[in-house]
Amino acid sequence: MGEAPAFLVDDLQNEPLNGFELKNGTCKTTTTIGDKTYVIGGADDGTLSIEVQIFDRSRGEWVHPTVHGIKPLSCKGHSAVLLKDRILILKKGSKPDDQIWFLEFDTQYVRQLQNNFGNAVVVWSKGVTGNAEKPIVISGPSGVGKGTLISMLMKEFPSMFGFSVSHTTRAPRNMEKDGVHYHFTEKSVMEKEIKDGKFLEFASVHGNLYGTSVEAVEVVADAGKRCILDIDVQGARSVRASSLEAIFIFICPPSMEDLEKRLRGRGTETEEQVLKRLRNAEAEIEQGNSSKIFDFILYNDNLEECYEKLKKLLGLDGFVTASPKSAPREIILPMNHSLSKIDDKIIINCMSSELEKESKNLIMLDVSSLKGGAPGRTRRLDFQAVSSFSDGLTGMDQFS
């Protein structure tokens, strides 16, 4: 906490309206929630920095929150709109895929972090139009054939599916590339991110941490693909307990005798390793059948038949090849725009002046079905062009 600069105190004590830029030559917006005013903005040079401050109006003091999440890049200005538990930020002069952001102040993830840190916390999350298909979690004992099934799926539908890149704290081996084979990271960094809830699942193996981050899954979705997670039952349990909505599939052998035959037929393990894998398999099969982790159980007694059942579960039966998805629509915002809001509809007035004649193009941004948020993306944004403020869009709150 600290003493507020006089020019800001004057503005803030005068009951600033949500979303309005301060009239002091700086590129800052204020959003008031109860007795707290969130000040987001940049410096006098007109660029948006990532500075976030909270002015406690009841005390006349500044609160400097802990800021989490991937921060938006600097820009030449922004507009702010208050939603239920987050603030919508529309950046000016940015690329289409970097214009929509959310500053979360009262989401479940923020409350979780506040319990960990014991002070004010805000979190950035990136806004994405449309929605991503549910990831697929595939589990099963070693030797059951799940890797073969996934390879068949990837080969037939190469543009539809993708793998997330796991994190590990071990050192890279020969020819391994960071971000391709693994995200190689320091143990202290990964431990902190696990504590912050940024990992869907993790495990310690021979003193090193391995895990799947939320961001790694989101990157696959950003590329327009459906993420496949090949993880053990314990990892699937962790993912099921997370906020990620996924389809959970367990691949089961027709019998333990059949599984033992497959493991021995590979000829890649010692007798001790085979027996260990069989013991682990028995425990995994019991959990796969008895727990409420998995949505579907497939028995791989015939590879081709099991693969066809897998495709049917995923709605792919009858496909010869996957049709490429069309790119998501993008909003291109000019520097000169203003905002209006009614309920869950944001109207963006895109204005341009030519020969002293002002023309307006209106874009309606629908935020009624927002899904997700930090530590991943905020999805299900939808927008469309509208011709006027008709059809119940009058009487809106105005922002600039």
Side-chain angles (χ1 to χ4, degrees), residues 188-233:
S188 60
V189 173
M190 188 165 171
E191 286 175 338
K192 182 181 183 303
E193 291 184 344
I194 289 172
K195 182 179 179 182
D196 290 348
K198 294 183 180 180
F199 274 77
L200 294 168
E201 57 88 24
F202 65 92
S204 179
V205 181
H206 304 305
N208 292 307
L209 291 173
Y210 293 80
T212 305
S213 70
V214 176
E215 178 66 16
V217 176
E218 294 284 12
V219 166
V220 176
D222 290 346
K225 295 186 177 183
R226 194 171 186 180
C227 189
I228 297 178
L229 301 176
D230 178 3
I231 53 181
D232 61 19
V233 174

Side-chain angles (χ1 to χ4, degrees), residues 212-264:
T212 305
S213 70
V214 176
E215 178 66 16
V217 176
E218 294 284 12
V219 166
V220 176
D222 290 346
K225 295 186 177 183
R226 194 171 186 180
C227 189
I228 297 178
L229 301 176
D230 178 3
I231 53 181
D232 61 19
V233 174
Q234 191 60 42
R237 187 187 302 277
S238 297
V239 176
R240 172 66 86 177
S242 74
S243 60
L244 184 73
E245 292 186 27
I247 295 176
F248 293 78
I249 301 173
F250 186 79
I251 309 298
C252 194
S255 66
M256 286 300 298
E257 291 76 13
D258 184 84
L259 182 63
E260 181 176 359
K261 182 179 179 181
R262 294 183 193 181
L263 286 173
R264 295 189 183 281

Side-chain angles (χ1 to χ4, degrees), residues 209-369:
L209 291 173
Y210 293 80
T212 305
S213 70
V214 176
E215 178 66 16
V217 176
E218 294 284 12
V219 166
V220 176
D222 290 346
K225 295 186 177 183
R226 194 171 186 180
C227 189
I228 297 178
L229 301 176
D230 178 3
I231 53 181
D232 61 19
V233 174
Q234 191 60 42
R237 187 187 302 277
S238 297
V239 176
R240 172 66 86 177
S242 74
S243 60
L244 184 73
E245 292 186 27
I247 295 176
F248 293 78
I249 301 173
F250 186 79
I251 309 298
C252 194
S255 66
M256 286 300 298
E257 291 76 13
D258 184 84
L259 182 63
E260 181 176 359
K261 182 179 179 181
R262 294 183 193 181
L263 286 173
R264 295 189 183 281
R266 295 194 308 193
T268 57
E269 288 96 2
T270 64
E271 178 67 17
E272 182 181 354
Q273 290 172 327
V274 169
L275 294 177
K276 182 178 180 180
R277 290 185 184 278
L278 288 172
R279 287 194 299 269
N280 292 339
E282 286 183 333
E284 286 188 305
I285 291 170
E286 182 180 356
Q287 293 180 62
N289 284 309
S290 62
S291 70
K292 296 182 180 180
I293 301 173
F294 298 97
D295 302 306
F296 304 99
I297 297 177
L298 294 180
Y299 287 88
N300 187 14
D301 50 350
N302 179 285
L303 182 62
E304 292 298 330
E305 291 180 4
C306 186
Y307 179 60
E308 290 302 318
K309 291 177 181 177
L310 177 61
K311 288 200 298 181
K312 187 173 183 178
L313 285 180
L314 301 178
L316 299 174
D317 54 324
F319 275 73
V320 176
T321 183
S323 302
K325 290 186 177 182
S326 58
R329 294 179 298 166
E330 295 179 331
I331 300 176
I332 301 177
L333 296 179
M335 282 294 297
N336 187 18
H337 74 258
S338 61
L339 304 178
S340 306
K341 178 177 181 290
I342 183 170
D343 298 328
D344 294 319
K345 305 294 189 297
I346 313 296
I347 298 296
I348 307 169
N349 303 331
C350 302
M351 297 171 286
S352 61
S353 296
E354 182 178 359
L355 299 178
E356 299 181 353
K357 181 180 179 181
E358 186 181 78
S359 63
K360 291 186 178 182
N361 296 307
L362 305 181
I363 298 173
M364 183 175 72
L365 181 63
D366 190 340
V367 294
S368 62
S369 302

Side-chain angles (χ1 to χ4, degrees), residues 64-85:
H64 299 284
T66 302
V67 181
H68 287 263
I70 298 176
K71 301 176 181 178
L73 300 173
S74 61
C75 65
K76 297 180 180 180
H78 70 286
S79 302
V81 183
L82 174 62
L83 303 180
K84 180 181 179 181
D85 53 10

Side-chain angles (χ1 to χ4, degrees), residues 47 133 147 167 275 312 314 371:
T47 60
E133 289 194 75
H167 283 63
L275 294 177
K312 187 173 183 178
L314 301 178
K371 180 180 179 181

